[in-house]
Amino acid sequence: MPATALQHFKDDIKRAKAIRTHADSLPTQTILEKQLRSDLLRSAWMFAVGALDAYFCDAYTDIIAATASSKSRQPSITLPEWFYEIKFPLRAILEEYDNQNWRWRMAARKMMERENVTSLSAIQSLFNKFFRDKQKFFQDLLDVWMSDQDAKIRLFGISRTDYLAMNDPTDKRSARDAAKAQFKERFQVIFQRRHDCIHNCDRPRVSPQPLERGGTVLKVIQDIEFLVTRCDEHINAEFREFLVRFGCSPATITIAGY
């Protein structure tokens, strides 16, 4: 896929890390100093989830625009019926553009500009329809992701080493079932905390929730990096297969950027 979405994500994650690093260096002698440090840690958390949100919106924009422009370039391809149900803003399509491919990118961008992608179910809803059977987010990918060198116990409930050491297929299947629940719960916590920070200044009840450790936020950032990086790899591979499956020529796929 065009590298812009992932590059912007990497740039934004660096900014989140910089906020977290700066917060760690602040004094905590007074109540106000502690509050400032906690608020900066909250900002880093929000920035990291915002980077994830922007990535998935941009990635979806990319594949929608690439599909539409491929159909425009090669009318003989037959797209799945659900694609024709996507509603593009008419103004963006009717505008004059020097580059005709830009028409579909701007239409897809307009379509997504008021959306957000801050749940695993939203990610699945947007992208799974493009993927082959047994290649869907997230259950189908657990074996590969749990075997990844960057896999963490907090994400999957089991270490990579322990998972790879399992020889019994039943044990591995049970580990993946438990990992699916753990993975979902981990990101629910990450997304909910961002929601709490934005909508009620991290005060879902009477007092602000505590956030005192920079390491807590660093782990959130690392988990978001893991999710986006693995998803980007999978979207790249599967979207190319999608274009091939529906009859795009090698030349059309190359122009689409896949």
Side-chain angles (χ1 to χ4, degrees):
M1 128 184 352
T4 304
L6 185 62
Q7 186 57 56
H8 284 177
F9 170 77
K10 291 178 177 179
D11 292 343
D12 293 340
I13 280 293
K14 287 180 182 177
R15 296 161 72 189
K17 289 180 178 178
I19 296 171
R20 201 277 314 181
T21 299
H22 179 64
D24 261 355
S25 70
L26 295 179
T28 56
Q29 299 302 311
T30 69
I31 292 176
L32 287 177
E33 287 173 342
K34 289 179 180 179
Q35 287 177 341
L36 176 59
R37 183 176 183 277
S38 290
D39 284 343
L40 282 175
L41 291 175
R42 292 183 180 96
S43 297
W45 190 312
M46 288 188 287
F47 224 107
V49 177
L52 175 151
D53 183 12
Y55 165 80
F56 283 111
C57 286
D58 288 348
Y60 186 67
T61 294
D62 282 342
I63 63 176
I64 290 295
T67 302
S69 62
S70 295
K71 175 65 174 176
S72 179
R73 186 176 298 109
Q74 189 181 335
S76 61
I77 68 174
T78 303
L79 296 176
E81 283 301 315
W82 56 259
F83 190 84
Y84 295 102
E85 299 299 319
I86 296 175
K87 295 177 173 59
F88 289 104
L90 189 59
R91 176 180 290 278
I93 295 175
L94 295 178
E95 292 289 343
E96 293 293 330
Y97 299 98
D98 293 333
N99 183 339
Q100 289 302 307
N101 291 337
W102 197 245
R103 175 186 315 282
W104 298 110
R105 181 168 297 278
M106 292 304 297
R109 183 175 295 174
K110 284 286 187 184
M111 178 183 67
M112 290 300 293
E113 67 182 7
R114 293 174 184 253
E115 302 295 328
N116 65 74
V117 188
T118 52
S119 72
L120 295 184
S121 60
I123 296 169
Q124 290 174 310
S125 177
L126 290 177
F127 292 96
N128 273 354
K129 60 177 72 77
F130 287 94
F131 301 162
R132 294 169 293 175
D133 290 343
K134 299 184 179 180
Q135 293 295 327
K136 310 288 189 181
F137 289 152
F138 291 98
Q139 176 72 45
D140 296 334
L141 307 180
L142 281 176
D143 181 69
V144 174
W145 288 13
M146 292 168 72
S147 304
D148 190 276
Q149 62 180 0
D150 292 327
K152 304 294 183 185
I153 293 177
R154 64 178 178 267
L155 281 175
F156 300 112
I158 187 172
S159 71
R160 171 180 181 266
T161 301
D162 288 346
Y163 179 67
L164 291 176
M166 290 180 171
N167 294 317
D168 188 325
T170 301
D171 290 343
K172 277 205 162 185
R173 186 165 53 250
S174 296
R176 287 194 295 273
D177 289 342
K180 181 181 179 181
Q182 173 67 24
F183 193 78
K184 180 179 179 180
E185 181 179 350
R186 173 61 175 163
F187 279 98
Q188 280 180 333
V189 169
I190 290 172
F191 295 140
Q192 183 61 46
R193 191 66 181 268
R194 188 247 195 175
H195 176 87
D196 291 340
C197 288
I198 289 177
H199 291 282
N200 50 47
C201 293
D202 208 21
R203 193 194 300 268
R205 294 182 179 85
V206 177
S207 300
Q209 301 176 89
L211 185 56
E212 299 174 353
R213 297 186 179 185
T216 300
V217 178
L218 181 58
K219 289 175 181 177
V220 168
I221 293 172
Q222 290 170 342
D223 292 349
I224 287 172
E225 286 184 294
F226 181 91
L227 176 64
V228 169
T229 302
R230 300 290 85 75
C231 285
D232 185 77
E233 294 167 351
H234 193 66
I235 292 168
N236 270 316
E238 281 300 304
F239 185 64
R240 182 179 180 84
E241 290 293 331
F242 172 84
L243 294 176
V244 170
R245 191 161 69 251
F246 288 99
C248 287
S249 69
T252 297
I253 293 171
T254 299
I255 294 172
Y258 291 84

